[in-house]
């Protein structure tokens, strides 16, 4: 008898990015990870930026990723609940992943209770960030009018442009090391939110590409999930303990 009693969290795979030596091999590895957890996974949370760029036109979706999409559909068909959070690289979702793969989509931070513990889950981009530049870009990326304009351009132009933007941004910035509690937006956000809701046990985010397990109160932790570019990391929760782990190379 299969006992599915664990909950898994994973973020920032960035499939299709030039940051990978071989993006298809990373996709294969992610599918192997999904196979490794499928027997005991009750719920899987994919916490954003699984794709380096994902844009759904009305009748067209990006080519590629067939291994992952097929695996996700196979697992949801078997009864495993899989949640997909829109990150800042794959936020242009409509209903394809829900209808074709059976995923539960999230576009905002998600408050939930799992095995008696309370969680706030989100990709993490923009949380605690009051900068004008972020809010300007957010308005641009979420504008329905600009999205219609973008959709009118042939994908042969928009997809290379999006990948070039993503890669140049990552190359110029790199992965910023942990900056300390006072300078990390997600730490500040979690502490402020905990003061409003002191019964939250876990804040779990992606986005930062670092591994972090930070106690912010006696019964509350902030978890940042790392990535699948260099760390190949994820979190596992069994109802008692939440652990950050790395999938074997």
């Amino acid at each position: 008898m299969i006992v599915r009693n664990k909950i898994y969290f994973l973020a920032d795979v960035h499939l299709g990015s030039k940051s990978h030596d071989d993006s298809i091999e990373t996709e294969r590895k992610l599918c192997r990870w999904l196979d490794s957890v499928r027997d005991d996974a009750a719920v899987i949370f994919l916490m954003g930026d699984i794709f380096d760029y994902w844009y759904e036109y009305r009748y067209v979706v990006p080519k590629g990723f067939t291994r992952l999409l097929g695996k996700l559909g196979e697992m949801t068909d078997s009864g495993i609940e899989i949640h997909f959070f829109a990150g800042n690289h794959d936020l242009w979702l409509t209903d394809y992943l829900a209808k074709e793969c059976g995923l539960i989509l999230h576009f905002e931070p998600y408050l939930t209770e799992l095995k008696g513990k309370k969680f706030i889950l989100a990709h993490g981009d923009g949380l605690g960030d009051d900068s004008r530049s972020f809010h300007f870009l957010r308005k641009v990326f979420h504008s329905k009018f600009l999205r219609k304009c973008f959709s009118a351009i042939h994908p042969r132009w928009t997809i290379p442009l999006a990948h070039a933007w993503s890669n140049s941004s990552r190359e110029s910035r790199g992965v910023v090391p942990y900056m300390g509690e006072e300078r990390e937006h997600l730490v500040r956000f979690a502490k402020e939110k905990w003061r409003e809701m002191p019964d939250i046990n876990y804040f779990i985010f992606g986005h930062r590409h670092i591994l972090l397990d930070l106690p912010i109160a006696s019964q509350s932790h902030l978890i940042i999930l790392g990535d699948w570019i260099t760390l190949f990391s994820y979190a596992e929760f069994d109802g008692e303990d939440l652990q950050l782990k790395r999938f074997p190379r």
Side-chain angles (χ1 to χ4, degrees), residues 2-248:
I2 295 176
V3 178
R4 292 174 172 164
N5 60 357
K6 292 185 179 179
I7 300 167
Y8 293 94
F9 308 84
L10 180 147
D12 293 283
V13 184
H14 290 272
L15 288 176
S17 170
K18 290 183 179 179
S19 298
H20 296 288
D21 294 332
D22 185 337
S23 184
I24 291 179
E25 181 53 38
T26 300
E27 183 183 1
R28 292 189 183 107
K29 182 169 183 172
L30 179 57
C31 289
R32 291 196 297 271
W33 177 79
L34 288 166
D35 280 333
S36 75
V37 304
R38 67 182 301 161
D39 286 345
D40 62 9
V43 188
I44 297 173
F45 291 93
L46 301 177
M47 305 286 295
D49 285 359
I50 303 304
F51 307 105
D52 196 56
Y53 172 67
W54 180 273
Y55 191 95
E56 293 178 23
Y57 295 83
R58 180 175 294 183
Y59 302 110
V60 179
V61 296
K63 73 174 184 179
F65 319 122
T66 54
R67 297 166 184 81
L68 176 61
L69 297 176
K71 182 65 65 179
L72 294 174
E74 175 188 322
M75 292 178 72
T76 57
D77 285 349
S78 73
I80 299 173
E81 186 177 301
I82 302 180
H83 295 247
F84 188 100
F85 285 72
N88 53 305
H89 284 254
D90 49 16
L91 60 89
W92 299 281
L93 304 167
T94 55
D95 60 358
Y96 178 81
L97 295 178
K99 287 184 175 180
E100 295 295 325
C101 301
L103 306 184
I104 300 167
L105 305 183
H106 298 277
F107 298 88
E108 301 292 340
Y110 178 50
L111 171 64
T112 187
E113 184 170 320
L114 302 167
K115 295 184 178 292
K117 303 291 185 181
K118 290 189 176 181
F119 290 73
I120 288 182
L121 309 175
H123 177 60
D125 62 305
L127 298 182
D129 185 353
D130 295 324
S131 65
R132 291 182 180 180
S133 60
F134 167 76
H135 286 283
F136 171 75
L137 285 175
R138 185 174 180 84
K139 286 183 180 179
V140 169
F141 289 156
H142 288 263
S143 167
K144 292 182 179 179
F145 171 73
L146 292 177
R147 181 168 179 170
K148 286 184 179 179
C149 293
F150 191 80
S151 298
I153 305 172
H154 196 282
R156 74 171 67 181
W157 304 111
T158 58
I159 291 176
L161 174 64
H163 280 299
W165 173 291
S166 172
N167 288 314
S168 64
S169 174
R170 186 176 296 108
E171 288 170 1
S172 64
R173 185 178 65 250
V175 176
V176 179
Y178 180 62
M179 299 183 296
E181 294 186 33
E182 297 304 317
R183 298 181 61 194
E184 289 284 349
H185 297 310
L186 293 176
V187 175
R188 296 206 305 263
F189 172 84
K191 288 183 175 182
E192 291 172 7
K193 185 62 67 173
W194 180 83
R195 283 192 283 270
E196 298 173 14
M197 306 173 68
D199 58 342
I200 300 298
N201 300 111
Y202 292 101
F203 298 84
I204 301 185
F205 306 127
H207 186 59
R208 275 289 281 115
H209 292 239
I210 60 174
L211 281 170
L212 182 68
D213 182 350
L214 179 70
I216 60 174
S218 61
Q219 299 296 322
S220 184
H221 283 242
L222 165 64
I223 305 295
I224 300 181
L225 293 167
D227 66 22
W228 271 60
I229 296 175
T230 59
L231 297 171
F232 302 97
S233 50
Y234 63 97
E236 175 185 302
F237 180 59
D238 63 5
E240 296 294 332
D241 298 313
L242 191 147
Q243 300 180 51
L244 285 168
K245 296 185 174 184
R246 295 176 67 173
F247 192 56

